[in-house]
Structure formats: structure tokens, C-alpha cells
Amino acid sequence: MRFRKPSAILAVSLPMILTPPHKDLLAQAYIGSGKSTCIVLGMLCRVDPSQKVPQALCVCPTRELVLQNLEVLRQIGKLTGITSECVVPKDGESASKRPIVMSQVVFGIPGMTNSMICAKELDVNYLRIFVFDDADYMLADDEFKIDSLQIMKAIRGSDNRCQVLI
Ligand SMILES: Nc1ncnc2c1ncn2[C@@H]1O[C@H](COP(=O)(O)OP(=O)(O)OP(=O)(O)O)[C@@H](O)[C@H]1O
């Protein structure tokens, strides 16, 4: 991918994301400044490859952004063996018909992600890192906001400590 040096957002945020005790982080940067790269590297680094359960979840406002982030993760992480998938609605499919998510990194839109958590098809109990991509956009939309807050509640109610990036 010809990355020679980290972008400003990556140089500042990645050490904060990866350094114990893995505090929550709120970061803001311009379009094209390397936010997706930072999110993806943060998630890949926090996953334990030996644990075959969802450990990193990223919620994005649009299907396009979900697919774009998934593609970046697959490019950067292709030699890691870390598994990934997206949860976006497909034609004629309901959340309750989907198989249980087993991938280690998961990307989704708020509605489908929340439905899958409620249907116990996406287990949040082993999540180490949760990312709200474009959170300002999601929290400005009533429907996205309700789903996003329910996802957050489920994660906060789980057994383990999960780092949150906004
Ligand atoms: N350190 C880097 N060196 C070179 N290219 C980089 C670096 N970081 C990111 N890029 C490239 O810059 C482009 C934008 O990066 P990225 O998608 O991570 O930014 P973004 O802030 O998430 O953008 P957007 O807001 O449009 O989603 C991509 O093509 C990416 O491969």
C-alpha cells in the first residue's frame, strides 16, 4: 500500500489506542486524513488471532462505508489470518435468518447490527474494541441514534471491558 510514514491522526491516535489500559478515545480529523486506516490498524492490533469470536466491531452510517472499511481491513490485514465480515441487509433477508457471526472483526450499519445483537447472532461479550465511525452523523439521525445507543448499552452491559473509539 506504499505507506512510508503515518498520517498525523495515525501517529497521534494509534499509540493511544494500543497502549494499556486501552482507554476510550474520541478523535476528529478531516476527510481523507487516514481515519479509516487508523480504525482498521487499531482493530487488527487488538484482536487475539487465537480466539475465534467477534473481538472488534465497527458501526458505520452507510453500507458503502461498511464495505469500504472492510476492504481496507482485508488489504491491510491479509497476512494476519484475522477473519472479518460485514453485517448489512441483503435482499429478502431478515436478521433472524442469518448465521451466527464468528468472524473476529465485524463491520455493520446500526440497525442490522443492533438486530443481530438482540437476536443473539452477534455476541458482544468478547469485544475488545468498538468503533463508532462518523459518530457525529449517526447521533444526529434519530433512528441511527436509537440503534447506536442500544448497541452501546449491550456492550457496556457485557462481562468484559471494551475500549470505545469515536
Ligand atoms: N500513512 C499513509 N501513507 C500513505 N497513504 C495513506 C496513509 N494513510 C492513509 N493513506 C491513504 O489515504 C487515503 C485516505 O485514507 P483513509 O481512507 O484512511 O482516510 P479517511 O480519513 O478515513 O477518509 P474518509 O474520511 O474519506 O473516509 C487512502 O487511499 C489511504 O490508503
Side-chain angles (χ1 to χ4, degrees):
M1 294 181 82
R2 302 189 185 180
F3 288 11
R4 290 201 161 72
K5 61 174 191 161
S7 62
I9 178 88
L10 190 62
V12 172
S13 312
L14 197 61
M16 295 167 92
I17 295 169
L18 300 184
T19 305
H22 306 297
K23 286 186 183 169
D24 297 342
L25 178 71
L26 192 158
Q28 191 174 25
Y30 289 108
I31 290 172
S33 57
K35 293 185 299 293
S36 304
T37 310
C38 186
I39 287 169
V40 157
L41 281 171
M43 290 198 294
L44 284 170
C45 292
R46 294 288 329 273
V47 165
D48 172 356
S50 68
Q51 265 195 306
K52 308 293 181 198
V53 289
Q55 297 171 55
L57 171 64
C58 175
V59 174
C60 317
T62 65
R63 183 191 173 93
E64 289 68 32
L65 195 51
V66 164
L67 297 175
Q68 190 182 308
N69 279 338
L70 180 67
E71 179 55 30
V72 174
L73 182 119
R74 286 185 173 167
Q75 277 179 29
I76 293 181
K78 70 180 170 196
L79 301 179
T80 63
I82 290 171
T83 55
S84 57
E85 70 182 276
C86 64
V87 292
V88 289
K90 296 187 184 118
D91 287 344
E93 185 185 54
S94 74
S96 57
K97 281 193 194 143
R98 286 189 57 114
I100 290 177
V101 174
M102 297 303 292
S103 297
Q104 292 158 319
V105 182
V106 183
F107 294 92
I109 55 171
M112 182 93 178
T113 305
N114 187 34
S115 301
M116 293 194 66
I117 293 171
C118 293
K120 302 208 182 308
E121 286 155 354
L122 173 57
D123 187 354
V124 295
N125 280 307
Y126 300 93
L127 286 184
R128 294 161 166 243
I129 179 165
F130 170 57
V131 183
F132 254 132
D133 198 1
D134 277 348
D136 50 347
Y137 182 88
M138 288 199 278
L139 294 176
D141 176 295
D142 283 346
E143 205 171 316
F144 279 165
K145 184 174 174 178
I146 291 168
D147 285 320
S148 300
L149 292 177
Q150 284 183 355
I151 295 168
M152 183 67 94
K153 196 172 165 196
I155 290 171
R156 287 292 190 224
S158 69
D159 308 333
N160 65 326
R161 157 93 182 95
C162 176
Q163 180 183 33
V164 178
L165 309 186
I166 294 178

